[in-house]
Amino acid sequence: MSSAERLIEATRELLWERGYAGTSPKAIQARSGVGVGSMYHHFDGKAGLALAAMRRSAQELKEMAEAHFSRPGPAGRRIASYLQRERDVLRGCPIGRLTMDFDVVNNSDLRAPLDEVFAWLRSRLADLVAEGQESGEFRAELDPQAVGAMLAAVVQGGYVMARSADTAEPFDAAARGALSLLGLRVPQHA
């Protein structure tokens, strides 16, 4: 792995663990095993490196979600697959974690990958709801945009509640509840 790749991967992990403010150049260097000169050679300081790491995390989130969304089968099954996928709930979302970081949300460049991936997620979920309406799977009176936003919020809020409770159960219950509201029958421990 190149030094630039090691820097990006180390920064991704540190941002997930500590947030932007808690991720120092010294910690990045220690985690990556790459010297300070290399960091400034490849990136425009901490902000440039963090932006590259955040874009990588956002792309990974999109690819993972799309793997569920583009499966064959009914729209509801694909939504359920995404909501109930295997995930490290107590670790939280690497993107959602950064929304609580003052330095990120008050910097339009750093906030951009978050805005973009969450807009994409809401839109993609709304598309699946509309698809389910067209096939008769979901009620016609549902607002696909509002339901897409609600489903994205269930995931992000589920992470927060699970971390607070130190158990995945609040996340799992929120996912089951959302699916139930869509009229989908799901096993208690799916």
Side-chain angles (χ1 to χ4, degrees):
M1 188 182 298
S2 72
S3 58
E5 284 298 310
R6 291 192 343 241
L7 286 164
I8 290 171
E9 289 304 313
T11 303
R12 286 179 66 200
E13 287 295 316
L14 287 165
L15 288 172
W16 196 356
E17 292 169 13
R18 303 177 183 185
Y20 183 80
T23 298
S24 68
K26 184 176 180 178
I28 294 168
Q29 292 162 16
R31 177 78 56 102
S32 68
V34 175
V36 67
S38 187
M39 183 171 123
Y40 290 100
H41 170 75
H42 293 291
F43 302 98
D44 183 23
K46 175 183 167 180
L49 177 52
L51 184 58
M54 291 164 63
R55 289 202 181 284
R56 174 87 49 89
S57 292
Q59 183 60 36
E60 187 177 275
L61 187 149
K62 284 175 70 173
E63 290 171 2
M64 178 281 311
E66 189 58 41
H68 292 272
F69 298 155
S70 62
R71 289 180 175 175
R77 185 180 311 147
R78 290 180 277 150
I79 291 170
S81 173
Y82 168 71
L83 289 179
Q84 297 179 311
R85 76 169 177 82
E86 187 71 32
R87 60 183 90 207
D88 188 354
V89 173
L90 297 182
R91 193 164 182 210
C93 175
I95 298 296
R97 160 79 171 87
L98 295 169
T99 65
M100 301 306 294
D101 199 307
F102 179 84
D103 293 325
V104 172
V105 297
N106 287 301
N107 178 315
S108 60
D109 291 334
L110 291 176
R111 193 180 64 244
L114 283 61
D115 293 343
E116 292 163 10
V117 76
F118 286 136
W120 174 87
L121 182 60
R122 290 188 309 268
S123 175
R124 194 66 181 90
L125 286 163
D127 291 345
L128 286 171
V129 172
E131 182 183 325
Q133 287 175 308
E134 289 172 18
S135 70
E137 187 178 0
F138 298 139
R139 297 185 321 271
E141 67 271 11
L142 291 177
D143 175 345
Q145 297 301 318
V147 174
M150 182 265 306
L151 292 170
V154 162
V155 171
Q156 291 304 312
Y159 279 127
V160 171
M161 292 187 318
R163 285 177 58 112
S164 176
D166 198 29
T167 176
E169 179 49 34
F171 184 101
D172 297 339
R176 286 192 310 270
L179 295 172
S180 177
L181 287 172
L182 288 175
L184 299 170
R185 295 187 328 141
V186 293
Q188 193 68 4
H189 298 287

